[in-house]
Amino acid sequence: MPNEPPRLLERFRPMFSLLALTTIASLVSLSSQRPGVLDEITMLETSNSTLLRYPTDFTQNIVPKSIHSHNDYWRDVPLLTALSLGVASVEADVWLVNQTLFIGHEMAALTPARTFNSLYVEPLVSIIEGQNPKSQFTVNQTSVNGVFDTASSIPLQLLVDMKTDGPSTLPFVVSALQPLRERGFLTTCESNGTCTLGAVTVVGTGNTPLAGIQALSPRDVFFDAPLTALNATFDNTISPLASTDYEVAVGWSGIGSINQTQLSAIQQFVADAHGLGIKARFWDTPGWPIHARNNVWQTLIDEGADWLNADDLDAAATMF
Ligand SMILES: *[C@@H]1O[C@H](CO)[C@@H](O)[C@H](O)[C@H]1NC(C)=O
Ligand SMILES: *[C@@H]1O[C@H](CO)[C@@H](O)[C@H](O)[C@H]1NC(C)=O
Ligand SMILES: *[C@@H]1O[C@H](CO)[C@@H](O)[C@H](O)[C@H]1NC(C)=O
Ligand SMILES: *[C@@H]1O[C@H](CO)[C@@H](O)[C@H](O)[C@H]1NC(C)=O
Ligand SMILES: *[C@@H]1O[C@H](CO)[C@@H](O)[C@H](O)[C@H]1NC(C)=O
Ligand SMILES: *[C@@H]1O[C@H](CO)[C@@H](O)[C@H](O)[C@H]1NC(C)=O
């Protein structure tokens, strides 16, 4: 993992004012020879002092990036690997079997333990509760902190790719999100169009039925719109995100120069989405060779695409 564990000095720099140092020093028993600052740090690190426990440090020093973790559930540790790299969008493929939502790329890959609940909903409840401690200092806070300490107002985008029949699966997804909903953690749009950003923005894709999403009121599951076929049906209260297959919509391999037709296609689709307040994502971008993959990613970033779709998160993180 490229992120070093946060260094104590960096984490607690604001505390090292003269006053704080004096307070801290009084906590450790001083030997006859007055210790230097490094000695004090060593002593403090072993003291387990409550002063050294920053309450919301789950993702300390991790800067969120506009990267979408394609097939996130394939990673060693779903969700957390992406968060550790600052990846602000993850994808879960869900299958409705026996009234339970299982996670996997295909039916053969499902196991009883790997459910939408166990891999995504429960961990998110626990992470976001940790980021929102209740105390006398937060009683008046109306907004919810997101998963990223460095940018607490940036929601995590959770793309739910419905693999089974859309109209049957959607109600189970809506219901599975209740632990996040009842804590006020979900981005929500009221029927009058007023939207509140939450810690998690859920967007349905795959077989997600547009009519089912349109019927939700208030709405806290949104619809991944077709980027190449946007029309007045879509706005950001229905679709904060629009996506398309890059191979079909653009097609440039990343080797040699992009031609004018291909460049115009990217520009047109990005402009269509942005005109409706919707963010643009191109999936199925080339993965190989590496320089071609990076050329395509860089061109998409330069032309205003909002999300880099990535299998290799470490590599995508280096683009920012
Ligand atoms: C440090 O303190 C916490 C909270 O009081 C406690 O749970 C933990 O076991 C302590 N760790 C050590 C190494 O003493
Ligand atoms: C679904 O439920 C039936 C009846 O309880 C059971 O026989 C079957 O193994 C279950 N299937 C899965 C995938 O859990
Ligand atoms: C919260 O609001 C109340 C009422 O306005 C005020 O008295 C109190 O000081 C506030 N608390 C904090 C931590 O800002
Ligand atoms: C929209 O509806 C919500 C919830 O009923 C309400 O709090 C808000 O004031 C309304 N906004 C407008 C602009 O009517
Ligand atoms: C807009 O696109 C949606 C989804 O493809 C389609 O259902 C709808 O009929 C279209 N509306 C218009 C006015 O073309
Ligand atoms: C750009 O490349 C595509 C795919 O090779 C081709 O179909 C198109 O005609 C080219 N456009 C221009 C302007 O060269």
Side-chain angles (χ1 to χ4, degrees):
M1 241 177 261
N3 294 79
E4 292 179 43
R7 306 262 311 279
L8 187 84
L9 249 184
E10 282 167 27
R11 292 174 59 178
F12 296 98
R13 197 180 297 284
M15 289 179 61
F16 282 85
S17 66
L18 195 57
L19 184 62
L21 260 185
T22 313
T23 316
I24 291 170
S26 67
L27 288 170
V28 293
S29 57
L30 299 175
S31 60
S32 55
Q33 194 182 354
R34 210 178 139 63
V37 67
L38 294 179
D39 299 318
E40 293 212 3
I41 287 170
T42 307
M43 281 190 275
L44 276 162
E45 280 182 318
T46 51
S47 76
N48 202 20
S49 162
T50 52
L51 282 181
L52 296 191
R53 247 172 278 125
Y54 193 73
T56 61
D57 62 355
F58 185 70
T59 52
Q60 190 113 16
N61 293 349
I62 299 172
V63 177
K65 302 173 188 73
S66 301
I67 299 170
H68 173 72
S69 176
H70 179 230
N71 291 338
D72 180 71
Y73 49 87
W74 264 344
R75 304 186 191 286
D76 290 346
V77 182
L79 181 63
L80 298 192
T81 305
L83 296 186
S84 76
L85 292 163
V87 168
S89 181
V90 297
E91 175 179 320
D93 288 5
V94 304
W95 302 76
L96 180 67
V97 183
N98 275 1
Q99 316 227 322
T100 303
L101 296 169
F102 294 93
I103 296 284
H105 195 58
E106 59 205 358
M107 202 61 103
L110 306 185
T111 71
R114 291 168 61 90
T115 64
F116 183 52
N117 202 28
S118 68
L119 290 187
Y120 291 94
V121 177
E122 283 171 13
L124 281 171
V125 165
S126 133
I127 291 166
I128 300 163
E129 283 198 326
Q131 298 293 84
N132 291 277
K134 289 199 173 27
S135 76
Q136 67 267 43
F137 303 106
T138 60
V139 285
N140 298 336
Q141 188 178 331
T142 51
S143 59
V144 171
N145 295 331
V147 298
F148 296 108
D149 291 307
T150 53
S152 57
S153 62
I154 296 197
L156 174 73
Q157 178 166 269
L158 175 58
L159 221 60
V160 179
D161 187 341
M162 299 182 199
K163 294 295 191 187
T164 36
D165 172 69
S168 339
T169 308
L170 178 61
F172 284 87
V173 171
V174 169
S175 145
L177 294 166
Q178 184 60 20
L180 290 161
R181 177 180 302 115
E182 69 192 17
R183 289 168 173 82
F185 292 168
L186 296 179
T187 295
T188 304
C189 291
E190 307 293 339
S191 47
N192 62 17
T194 304
C195 298
T196 314
L197 274 189
V200 181
T201 302
V202 181
V203 181
T205 187
N207 288 338
T208 300
L210 175 57
I213 297 297
Q214 286 170 318
L216 297 175
S217 175
R219 182 176 304 118
D220 55 21
V221 178
F222 301 90
F223 185 79
D224 184 16
L227 182 58
T228 57
L230 289 174
N231 63 35
T233 300
F234 301 102
D235 61 26
N236 57 11
T237 72
I238 296 275
S239 296
L241 174 72
S243 308
T244 190
D245 182 338
Y246 170 90
E247 190 54 43
V248 173
V250 183
W252 175 52
S253 67
I255 299 167
S257 305
I258 189 167
N259 75 29
Q260 194 51 49
T261 316
Q262 295 158 332
L263 188 62
S264 302
I266 298 176
Q267 289 167 341
Q268 183 64 57
F269 297 139
V270 168
D272 287 350
H274 290 183
L276 295 164
I278 295 174
K279 293 194 156 51
R281 176 179 73 114
F282 295 83
W283 49 271
D284 195 20
T285 48
W288 190 88
I290 301 297
H291 77 273
R293 175 196 69 193
N294 291 356
N295 285 344
V296 170
W297 276 347
Q298 191 60 57
T299 302
L300 291 173
I301 292 172
D302 291 347
E303 297 306 328
D306 301 279
W307 292 102
L308 276 194
N309 208 67
D311 288 296
D312 184 339
L313 299 182
D314 294 275
T318 67
M319 302 298 292
F320 292 89

